[in-house]
Amino acid sequence: MRLITNFLLKKSKRRKDGKYPVYIRCTIDLKRIELSTGVYLNSCDWDNLAQQVVPLAENSRNLNKKLNNFSNTIFDKYYQLEAIGNPYDINNLKECLTNTPKHFLVDTFQTILDDIHRRVGYDYSYGTYKHYKTILGRLKEFIKVTYKKTDIPLSGINFKFITSFDSFLKIHHSVGPNTIGHYHKKLKKVLNDSIALGLIDKNPYTRFKIKRYQPNRDFLSLNEIRKIENKKIEIERVRTVRDIFLFACYTGLSYSDIHLLTKFHIFKGDDAEEWIIIDRTKTSTRCRIPILPKAKAILTKYENYPESVNKGKLLPTNSNQKMNTYLKEIADICDIKKALTMHVARHTFATTITLANGVPIETVSKMLGHTSIKTTQIYGKIIDSKISKDMKKIKNIWQSF
């Protein structure tokens, strides 16, 4: 990046004695700063074309020497930034010249991460904290590999840094586009917090578009659900995971919400039926879900299960990672070719159990605890059985003519 400087007589800042300050304007990549040189002149004593005090002005030789030294100091700092090799911009140069305290990316991110950790259970979930922690780890690695440093100034975070980080995630970690999008959103949030704290002036993400792709979300058909229900499983731990997965299929609850489920989340509705009413761990949005008979049967099966009783929970959940590991085994023994996870159960509730059977999307959205119906539309796939039912209606209409 090339540094361009030029002097100017700042006529908007005229002193009482009629003199004007001489400023130096520094430009890098079309961004500029202006610094006072401490030299004051009458307008007739400044030669703008020659960029110097006119020779006939009082003390012109010393004043021109002072301006020249000021310019040399700026270029010295500029060459130092170039030699260091860290990303920098015009603000870094200003920091060097004015002795403004530097604020660094990793250090600031860690401070924000520590604050999130303290707020887990209040306005942040532990899962969110883990996501931020993972991103910080990736950033540290990226800075070490790319710049051979442990940290870089916040003011050095620019468009080039972001695009390089994007490429690093794709090449070194084979991260998918939507996961990369989540990384960028979290980093963007950290930089916005840095602006709020007065550490930087602008967020370079204003020039970077975070891309998001609509993924193909797996869900189970009724036949696949029946396969899992009817499969005889001898190993108790695998059988338990199967039952909890099916419970998720019939309620739409996520793993984290099932993990927290207690008897205090079960209520009698105005219809005299039992309902699950729980605030979602992820968004704190309230879910209200009528308990279907098959879901009720699973709760009844585990109501006296020692692990459930000891922990005060309705179902004996393992960690989400272990649950998903066992679900891979279940997919194999049931000859299901889809990658089973606890989230597939949530998709299955939204599609096969509800939307495919005519439940309005607004109702499904309420049961899933979504804050926007647009989120529900992601789940709202029209599956083959629904298409078949609708087409049969059309066939019947045409046959009557």
Side-chain angles (χ1 to χ4, degrees):
M1 293 185 290
R2 184 181 170 210
L3 170 65
I4 301 171
T5 64
N6 64 291
F7 292 104
L8 63 152
L9 203 63
K10 201 79 167 177
K11 293 191 175 181
S12 62
K13 296 192 175 185
R14 183 173 180 266
R15 291 198 316 190
K16 289 182 180 180
D17 62 1
K19 291 185 177 181
Y20 302 94
V22 178
Y23 271 66
I24 187 167
R25 177 178 292 166
C26 309
T27 306
I28 297 176
D29 282 353
L30 302 179
K31 294 181 180 180
R32 69 190 189 190
I33 58 171
E34 293 178 353
L35 302 170
S36 174
T37 64
V39 173
Y40 291 83
L41 300 170
N42 293 312
S43 59
C44 60
D45 292 334
W46 177 249
D47 185 341
N48 194 55
L49 186 62
Q51 290 279 288
Q52 66 178 14
V53 182
V54 296
L56 295 177
E58 182 183 353
N59 202 26
S60 63
R61 187 173 180 178
N62 288 333
L63 291 175
N64 280 326
K65 185 177 180 180
K66 183 176 181 179
L67 293 177
N68 188 54
N69 289 340
F70 201 95
S71 177
N72 288 339
T73 299
I74 290 173
F75 273 94
D76 285 344
K77 296 296 184 183
Y78 163 71
Y79 292 133
Q80 287 173 21
L81 288 173
E82 279 280 295
I84 290 170
N86 284 343
Y88 70 91
D89 63 7
I90 195 68
N91 292 314
N92 295 112
L93 180 61
K94 185 177 180 180
E95 288 172 356
C96 293
L97 293 167
T98 60
N99 293 319
T100 306
K102 290 184 179 179
H103 301 282
F104 290 84
L105 175 61
V106 171
D107 184 56
T108 301
F109 200 123
Q110 185 64 59
T111 300
I112 293 171
L113 180 66
D114 292 341
D115 182 59
I116 291 172
H117 193 216
R118 285 190 293 270
R119 292 160 63 180
V120 167
Y122 297 95
D123 51 353
Y124 283 99
S125 69
Y126 184 72
T128 299
Y129 165 73
K130 283 179 65 179
H131 289 157
Y132 274 95
K133 188 176 180 181
T134 298
I135 295 164
L136 178 56
R138 295 281 190 262
L139 273 172
K140 287 180 178 179
E141 183 185 353
F142 167 66
I143 292 168
K144 184 177 181 181
V145 169
T146 307
Y147 303 106
K148 314 302 180 190
K149 303 286 181 181
T150 57
D151 208 346
I152 61 171
L154 265 176
S155 53
I157 308 304
N158 52 25
F159 183 80
K160 183 180 179 182
F161 177 93
I162 294 171
T163 54
S164 297
F165 182 50
D166 187 87
S167 298
F168 174 82
L169 292 172
K170 292 172 182 174
I171 296 168
H172 290 264
H173 291 281
S174 301
V175 180
N178 285 344
T179 302
I180 289 176
H182 286 303
Y183 281 25
H184 283 304
K185 284 182 180 178
K186 296 292 191 295
L187 179 55
K188 182 180 179 181
K189 171 69 166 53
V190 168
L191 293 176
N192 280 334
D193 287 350
S194 299
I195 293 172
L197 291 167
L199 306 182
I200 52 174
D201 297 324
K202 295 180 181 179
N203 193 329
Y205 272 101
T206 54
R207 296 174 56 199
F208 183 87
K209 185 176 181 181
I210 300 173
K211 297 177 182 178
R212 178 167 178 79
Y213 301 89
Q214 188 59 52
N216 292 319
R217 297 178 181 269
D218 278 335
F219 59 91
L220 300 182
S221 66
L222 278 176
N223 285 336
E224 289 169 328
I225 294 172
R226 291 191 185 105
K227 265 188 179 182
I228 295 173
E229 283 180 329
N230 297 330
K231 186 68 178 179
K232 188 175 181 181
I233 300 175
E234 300 293 341
I235 304 171
E236 184 182 5
R237 66 177 184 277
V238 180
R239 189 168 61 245
T240 300
V241 170
R242 185 266 307 273
D243 292 341
I244 294 172
F245 175 81
L246 289 171
F247 180 81
C249 288
Y250 287 117
T251 60
L253 289 173
S254 66
Y255 162 80
S256 56
D257 295 327
I258 292 174
H259 181 67
L260 296 175
L261 204 60
T262 71
K263 64 181 180 180
F264 299 106
H265 294 115
I266 308 297
F267 294 86
K268 281 279 186 180
D270 294 337
D271 56 1
E273 299 290 338
E274 287 188 318
W275 291 56
I276 294 172
I277 301 178
I278 188 171
D279 295 336
R280 286 201 68 203
T281 304
K282 184 177 180 181
T283 62
S284 298
T285 308
R286 179 151 294 186
C287 300
R288 304 174 65 88
I289 308 161
I291 303 177
L292 295 174
K294 288 192 175 184
K296 177 62 179 175
I298 293 170
L299 290 179
T300 302
K301 179 177 179 179
Y302 289 96
E303 63 183 356
N304 295 317
Y305 198 80
E307 190 175 342
S308 303
V309 173
N310 293 337
K311 294 182 179 179
K313 305 291 180 65
L314 292 183
L315 293 169
T317 54
N318 290 303
S319 70
N320 194 23
Q321 185 178 4
K322 282 186 179 180
M323 296 280 287
N324 289 331
T325 299
Y326 291 142
L327 285 170
K328 289 179 182 178
E329 292 183 35
I330 292 168
D332 288 339
I333 63 177
C334 294
D335 195 29
I336 292 174
K337 305 305 180 185
K338 296 169 183 174
L340 291 192
T341 65
M342 286 300 293
H343 218 61
V344 168
R346 188 165 164 83
H347 299 319
T348 300
F349 175 79
T351 53
T352 308
I353 304 300
T354 56
L355 290 172
N357 289 298
V359 179
I361 195 167
E362 296 82 3
T363 303
V364 177
S365 182
K366 196 74 175 175
M367 288 191 288
L368 291 173
H370 287 161
T371 55
S372 169
I373 201 165
K374 289 182 180 179
T375 309
T376 316
Q377 288 168 344
I378 295 172
Y379 293 86
K381 294 180 179 291
I382 305 300
I383 58 178
D384 291 344
S385 62
K386 182 71 167 63
I387 295 172
S388 177
K389 287 179 185 177
D390 293 341
M391 290 304 292
K392 281 180 181 177
K393 291 178 184 177
I394 294 174
K395 287 178 184 177
N396 291 334
I397 292 171
W398 280 100
Q399 285 173 357
S400 64
F401 281 97

